[in-house]
Amino acid sequence: MGRGGRSRTQRKHFRQNRENEWKRSKSDPNASETQTTPWTPFATANPSFDAYYKEQAVVAPDEWDQFVAFLRTPLPASFRINSSSLFADDLRSQLENDFVHSLRAVVPEGVETEAIRPLPWYPGNFAWHSNFSRMQLRKNQTLEKFHEFLKLENEIGNITRQEAVSMVPPLFLDVHPDHFVLDMCAAPGSKTFQLLEIIHQSTKAGSLPDGMVIANDLDVQRCNLLIHQTKRMCTANLIVTNHEAQNFPGCRLNRNHEQMELDHHINQLLFDRVLCDVPCSGDGTLRKAPDLWRKWNSGMGHGLHSLQVLIAMRGLSLLKIGGRMVYSTCSMNPIENEAVVAEVLRRCGGSVKLVDVSSELPQLIRRPGLKKWKVYDKSTWFVSYKDVPKFRGGAILPGMFPSGRLDNSNRNVDMGDIANGANGNAEDCIQAVENPVMPESVEEVSDLPLEHCMRIVPHDQNTGAFFIAVLQKVSPLPAIQEKPKIDVGGKCAEPANHSLQDAQVLQINSSECADEEILEEASEENVNDNEPDTEDLEVSPVPNEEDSKETEEPHNVQNVEKKIPGKRKLQIQGKWRGVDPVVFFKDEAIISSIRDFYGIDEKFPFSGHLVTRNDDTSHVKRIYYISKSVKDVLQLNLSVGQQLKITSVGLKMFERQTARQGSDAPCAFRISSEGLPLILPYITKQILQASPADFKRILQDKDVKFDDFADAEFGKNVANLLPGCCVLTLAKGNEVATESLKVDESTIAIGCWRGKTRLTVMVTAMDCQELLERLLIRLDTENGSNGHVDKSSINASEVQPLPELNGGNEDDVKATVS
């Protein structure tokens, strides 16, 4: 669940250091040993929680004990293999043939017989469930090898550690490689990564899919998590933006601009698919965040209901006709789930339908959505809005009830009575209506097909809890006349539908009439296992991609004139102060030097596909590559006044070599490790094929003299290269190509630096370790070896700065063994 709503209250919420681990608190370092406070486990019971969900009948009464028992146990770790990774099949084979067998001896008592197993409903055995919690993986010495495997592959980007139920929403989006996809509340990025995987799944070497993903999040620091997560995907088909989800820009050209000479192919930013994973109370994550037991109260969902409706409506307004939107939460509360879906369907009339996806992913155990529920407020259960006291009309809305009807004909308390007081005493009257004697009301049952929604409960498949609804837009949204808001006791209520037109950018007031304290209690997104929780969300700087210094981000456009202290000139992207600009790179001299040095084939499109994040193109440090779809969106964004606030875009392709030794190279720019797989099939110069022995040698030693390679001819070929960046590919078998190199999806390549007398690898120590692991498993197995890597030769504690590139500003040329 991402953050899509009210920035001020969310920043307050994230400053709270919410415990999200079943772990022992660190003792006070200043306390004496005799004064150590004994550790007490988290409370895993809350009478209010039990009473609320028993009344809502989220599970049958005879299942309640089993349901709660699962909620009180730690969540098993789960992870997903990046199916577009070069080593995806190798990783799956290692899990199936190695870890499945080696971990059987450490299965905890009383659980399943299998230590790890593929999730049966996830395609291709690419998602896995383990019967170990995150704490067990860290603390159990027997699991050390498996834990190291997870950490390394996650950091490299070959796997993503992600809660199992969090993997479900993207699967129901039915994403195709040519789709434009919007992830409205995307941080920390595990679902975005999944969407990118699907788009890239059938892509061939050197090509890009026609689709793209825009990943948005409200908070800048969470955008940083999102960028870090998706950076491992190495994609040119992603834009990361920083907006309130309910106010996401529509970027629509008016008629006067439609004939502009810009080479754009779209005149409005609409999407084929929208993922609407909204902010929620998060009580479906109790197994992962046990501290929520203490904090939980029924009002948490009430405070977020209006925001969730607004975000969902905005997503539908940005959706193409025929497109699909998935609405999801990690909450069990029907006020945040079925009530939101029902209200959205009512507002949209017949233009949106709830899709029955019961035949999709048949092995995923899910339960139908609720058709009836109640609303709890101030110690009272309400079954109809007509029973809600008028003075609570600002907190309890008609849309929270199954029928969604606004009926003032039979309200129990008149505001005039409250103002005048009962029997002359206003306090007595207010006290009386807080626990009113309710008349007999008929419990409402929704007439909408809410059974098509999906509820995932913990004890069905040993997971967290989740809610999912799949919506399809079948016609334009109706232009509904906005009715005036009702003034109730000085507070505003929202009884009416907002006018939502597809072709308009909605300026929705985010100051919803929800209780600030309730919103502060709203639970944070069930953050990916490997990502730290964000604790401080004050107005934060957007990281400058050019020099890694920080700039201040404004809260709105009016802050442009505000003087902000800093050591350098503040960057501006259009109207967004403090954000690096997005500039199309058109320096033909630099582009020609890169083409000539690497012999890049003319078939590889450069024109219009290179961007930088610096207005001063004469001092560009990094050049990013963008796909055609991203190019079209950027051109549209420029033509509409840069309505999109872009924090990250494109794939880092070239980086200026700033080290002293780099000044001797004919080309000032080296190929980035991130961009190498894309451009590899088009490189005809500065590229060599190495035998498995020499390839392993350069990975292990990091720095090899020309004369020290096993293949003397290969050493001579390296010496004949021009000084500077070069590329090594791994030969298949022991036959090294002497003429043209053939590159395909399985080709393994690394960037290197050809110095005066030696070749130095330009890959991080972690990447080297991963490549060695993969290669030795592949190659040494053929020789009867167990494929185990001697990690002492690549111990991270022994790495030192690269001798020839020391002093540079490279972030992927980090280390070598001394």
Side-chain angles (χ1 to χ4, degrees), residues 726-738:
C726 62
V727 177
L728 286 192
T729 64
L730 174 65
K732 296 180 180 179
N734 292 317
E735 295 295 328
V736 178
T738 56

Side-chain angles (χ1 to χ4, degrees), residues 490-534:
K491 292 187 177 182
C492 62
E494 184 205 355
N497 292 336
H498 291 279
S499 175
L500 286 177
Q501 298 184 25
D502 294 351
Q504 295 178 348
V505 176
L506 303 180
Q507 298 301 325
I508 303 173
N509 182 4
S510 62
S511 299
E512 286 299 309
C513 301
D515 191 333
E516 294 283 332
E517 294 180 358
I518 292 175
L519 280 178
E520 288 178 29
E521 289 295 324
S523 170
E524 180 188 357
E525 138 81 356
N526 132 43
V527 178
N528 180 282
D529 291 354
N530 198 43
E531 297 292 350
D533 287 344
T534 306

Side-chain angles (χ1 to χ4, degrees), residues 450-489:
L450 297 180
E451 66 276 8
H452 294 334
C453 299
M454 292 171 280
R455 283 181 166 267
I456 299 175
V457 294
H459 58 287
D460 279 344
Q461 287 183 305
N462 197 9
T463 63
F466 222 74
F467 175 87
I468 302 159
V470 181
L471 301 161
Q472 185 176 14
K473 187 174 183 178
V474 296
S475 63
L477 299 186
I480 305 171
Q481 294 297 319
E482 185 173 359
K483 300 177 183 178
K485 293 187 177 183
I486 300 175
D487 187 2
V488 184

Side-chain angles (χ1 to χ4, degrees), residues 716-731:
K716 291 178 181 179
N717 291 336
V718 173
N720 290 334
L721 294 174
L722 293 174
C725 178
C726 62
V727 177
L728 286 192
T729 64
L730 174 65

Side-chain angles (χ1 to χ4, degrees), residues 387-400:
D387 298 328
V388 178
K390 287 186 178 181
F391 86 104
R392 295 300 297 164
I396 306 300
L397 306 178
M400 294 179 179

